[in-house]
């Protein structure tokens, strides 16, 4: 019956990193119990010197709990509206906020994800994603528990040091479900050598989910070209969209779904218009559809300033209504009202979750183009930072 708070611990040894975030979360959540490994708990004095907010908490090693204690467990009196855990936002643009994910939110989102992946008796998961991140926690740990299938976890650092380890694990354990952000697929294309690809067998992989950051159509193509000889099939790419405020999943295809390219006129996109073009090159932008929303989840696109619904082909803010939408932000009533209780100006329809992400609806599917707070406006024209970074990387040094 306690509220869990998954968080990255301060890194031990040398200069401890992640202290500011850890201190902010400890203050905001009012942590009373700290669970960790033997090594982590043994470092309590060193950690609490740097994070005094945790000094009064009770520290328990999860490795030292006697198994016989399980016999004394009693099912707590929970209901669907009770908070299951606080998922803290990244805090990259602001102070981290604790998203209150209820038991009802979690059960709905797990059922939704299980439905999209069409999990069965052959399902096996491999995940290197951090378990304090919503995608790693849900897809790597909670969804396998919900679906009753095995999950193999590896440390994020192990993947980042040698990306082939991820694909080796999929090969070894005959994994069907595995994924990560777009950069992970790009990293594998760049870092896995031809001789390493030759020993891989990715034919078991059928749900290669890709989310948590802008999805590049070129990345999907390059990964398939690099690993199709290793058994990876194109239709097993799963571009998805989600966020912590909706537990994790908002939209996704299913097994029969193939990724769909939406090629847009770049100049029109800068003016918030999604106009398809047949041209390729500097004047066009290719994005991947994130599939349809379903399972009781509804997506609308609205103009952020006026809260009027967007017309077809108009880019606006993505709003979500779903049983997966969380209760709000921990101890932040005003931010909760602003983000979780939006209503359309013309009809008063709501409440909706304002995601802060930009996109449009295309043939019943969701296409994400960027994030409002990250837009760069130069002389009245809007620029997406991910597009500018690609231009910078691809242009040769003169």
């Amino acid at each position: 019956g306690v509220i869990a708070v998954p968080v990255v611990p301060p890194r031990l040894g040398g200069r401890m990193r992640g202290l500011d975030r850890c201190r902010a979360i400890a203050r905001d959540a009012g942590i009373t119990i700290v669970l960790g490994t033997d090594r982590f708990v043994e470092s309590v004095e060193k950690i609490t010197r740097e994070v005094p907010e945790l000094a009064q908490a009770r520290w328990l090693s999860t490795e030292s709990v006697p198994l016989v204690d399980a016999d004394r467990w009693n099912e707590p009196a929970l209901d669907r509206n009770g908070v299951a855990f606080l998922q803290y936002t990244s805090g990259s643009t602001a102070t981290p906020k604790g998203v209150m994910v209820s038991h009802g939110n979690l059960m709905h989102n797990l059922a939704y994800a299980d439905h999209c992946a069409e999990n069965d008796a052959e399902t096996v998961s491999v995940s290197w994603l951090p378990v304090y991140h919503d995608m790693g926690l849900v897809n790597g740990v909670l969804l396998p528990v919900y679906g009753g299938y095995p999950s193999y976890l590896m440390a994020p650092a192990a993947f980042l040091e040698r990306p082939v380890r991820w694909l080796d694990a999929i090969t070894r354990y005959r994994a069907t479900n595995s994924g990560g952000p777009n950069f992970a697929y790009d990293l594998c294309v760049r870092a896995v050598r031809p001789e390493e690809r030759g020993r891989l067998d990715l034919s078991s992989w059928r749900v290669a989910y890709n989310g948590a950051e802008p999805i590049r159509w070129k990345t999907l193509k390059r990964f398939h070209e690099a690993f199709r000889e290793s058994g990876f099939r194109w239709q097993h790419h799963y571009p998805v969209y989600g966020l912590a405020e909706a537990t994790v999943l908002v939209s996704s295809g299913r097994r029969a779904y193939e990724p769909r390219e939406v090629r847009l006129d770049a100049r029109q996109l800068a003016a918030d218009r999604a106009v398809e073009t047949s041209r390729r090159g500097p004047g066009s932008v290719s994005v991947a559809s994130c599939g349809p929303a379903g399972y009781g989840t509804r997506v609308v696109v609205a103009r952020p300033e006026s809260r009027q619904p967007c017309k077809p082909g108009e880019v606006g803010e993505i709003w979500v209504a779903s049983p997966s939408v969380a209760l709000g932000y921990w101890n932040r009533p005003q931010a909760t009202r602003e983000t979780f209780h939006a209503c359309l100006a013309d009809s008063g329809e709501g409440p909706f979750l304002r995601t802060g992400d930009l996109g449009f609806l295309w043939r019943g599917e969701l296409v994400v183009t960027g994030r409002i707070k990250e837009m760069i406006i130069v002389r009245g024209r809007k620029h997406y930072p991910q597009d500018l970074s690609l231009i910078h990387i691809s242009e040769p040094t003169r």
Side-chain angles (χ1 to χ4, degrees):
V2 302
I3 298 174
V5 185
V7 63
V8 58
R11 296 188 181 182
L12 303 176
R15 183 181 176 184
M16 297 173 67
R17 290 190 286 173
L19 291 176
D20 290 344
R21 176 176 169 78
C22 189
R23 292 191 64 180
I25 292 175
R27 282 195 302 271
D28 190 66
I31 301 297
T32 56
I33 300 175
V34 177
L35 304 179
T37 62
D38 285 345
R39 179 169 177 264
F40 184 72
V41 172
E42 288 168 0
S43 304
V44 56
E45 291 186 5
K46 179 179 180 181
I47 294 173
T48 52
R49 278 199 302 269
E50 303 294 337
V51 190
E53 291 83 355
L54 296 177
Q56 301 303 313
R58 183 183 178 192
W59 289 60
L60 298 175
S61 170
T62 54
E63 292 181 287
S64 303
V65 177
L67 294 180
V68 295
D69 284 355
D71 297 331
R72 303 191 313 197
W73 181 81
N74 293 306
E75 185 172 354
L78 302 176
D79 63 68
R80 63 181 299 102
N81 295 318
V83 179
F85 61 88
L86 300 182
Q87 180 66 61
Y88 273 83
T89 58
S90 64
S92 55
T93 57
T95 304
K97 297 188 288 289
V99 178
M100 297 185 290
V101 179
S102 74
H103 293 282
N105 297 148
L106 182 59
M107 292 303 290
H108 178 268
N109 211 250
L110 291 173
Y112 183 19
D114 193 64
H115 168 79
C116 288
E118 299 183 55
N119 293 316
D120 53 28
E122 297 179 355
T123 301
V124 176
S125 171
V126 160
S127 177
W128 58 267
L129 297 166
V131 295
Y132 50 82
H133 186 276
D134 52 350
M135 182 184 278
L137 177 65
V138 174
N139 288 282
V141 180
L142 301 180
L143 189 55
V145 171
Y146 176 89
Y149 55 85
S151 177
Y152 297 89
L153 305 179
M154 63 190 295
F159 161 69
L160 295 173
E161 289 167 359
R162 287 194 63 210
V164 73
R165 288 171 173 160
W166 176 30
L167 306 183
D168 276 336
I170 292 171
T171 298
R172 177 179 178 183
Y173 297 111
R174 309 305 300 146
T176 59
N177 297 18
S178 195
N182 193 82
F183 86 85
Y185 295 90
D186 263 335
L187 189 58
C188 286
V189 172
R190 297 198 307 267
V192 179
R193 300 188 300 270
E195 59 271 24
E196 293 174 320
R197 296 175 190 174
R199 71 168 186 255
L200 298 173
D201 179 3
L202 305 179
S203 59
S204 63
W205 200 0
R206 65 193 187 200
V207 180
Y209 48 89
N210 182 332
E213 67 181 22
I215 301 168
R216 289 284 176 190
W217 182 256
K218 287 185 177 179
T219 298
L220 303 184
K221 298 288 286 186
R222 288 170 180 165
F223 188 87
H224 177 247
E225 290 168 2
F227 295 101
R228 62 184 174 185
E229 296 299 322
S230 303
F232 184 83
R233 293 185 282 278
W234 171 253
Q235 63 267 33
H236 294 160
H237 272 307
Y238 265 60
V240 301
Y241 171 71
L243 67 166
E245 284 84 347
T247 305
V248 63
L249 179 63
V250 170
S251 70
S252 169
R254 300 185 70 195
R255 276 201 210 170
Y257 179 88
E258 288 199 19
R260 291 173 171 84
E261 176 188 20
V262 187
R263 199 180 313 143
L264 303 172
D265 184 295
R267 187 173 293 275
Q268 295 286 344
L269 184 60
D272 289 335
R273 291 188 293 269
V275 178
E276 291 189 69
T277 179
S278 58
R279 292 178 299 168
R280 292 188 180 273
S284 67
V285 176
S286 285
V287 292
S289 167
C290 293
Y295 219 79
T297 295
R298 183 183 172 214
V299 171
V300 301
V301 179
R303 296 168 189 160
E305 299 83 6
S306 67
R307 303 192 179 196
Q308 295 284 350
C310 288
K311 298 177 181 178
E314 184 180 357
V315 175
E317 185 180 15
I318 299 167
W319 289 17
V320 179
S322 171
S324 288
V325 170
L327 302 176
Y329 295 121
W330 181 257
N331 288 336
R332 293 173 186 258
Q334 181 175 345
T336 295
R337 284 192 298 272
E338 293 171 353
T339 303
F340 289 85
H341 298 285
C343 294
L344 293 173
D346 62 340
S347 64
E349 185 181 1
F352 289 97
L353 164 68
R354 297 189 63 167
T355 68
D357 292 318
L358 294 168
F360 60 96
L361 294 174
W362 174 81
R363 302 178 187 178
E365 300 182 7
L366 177 61
V367 178
V368 182
T369 58
R371 186 153 182 81
I372 294 174
K373 292 182 179 179
E374 295 175 354
M375 291 297 297
I376 301 169
I377 302 176
V378 181
R379 296 171 187 165
R381 285 195 65 192
K382 295 182 178 180
H383 301 271
Y384 290 89
Q386 64 266 25
D387 295 330
L388 296 178
S389 65
L390 276 185
I391 293 171
H392 175 74
I393 292 169
S394 61
E395 286 188 347
T397 302
R398 299 186 185 277

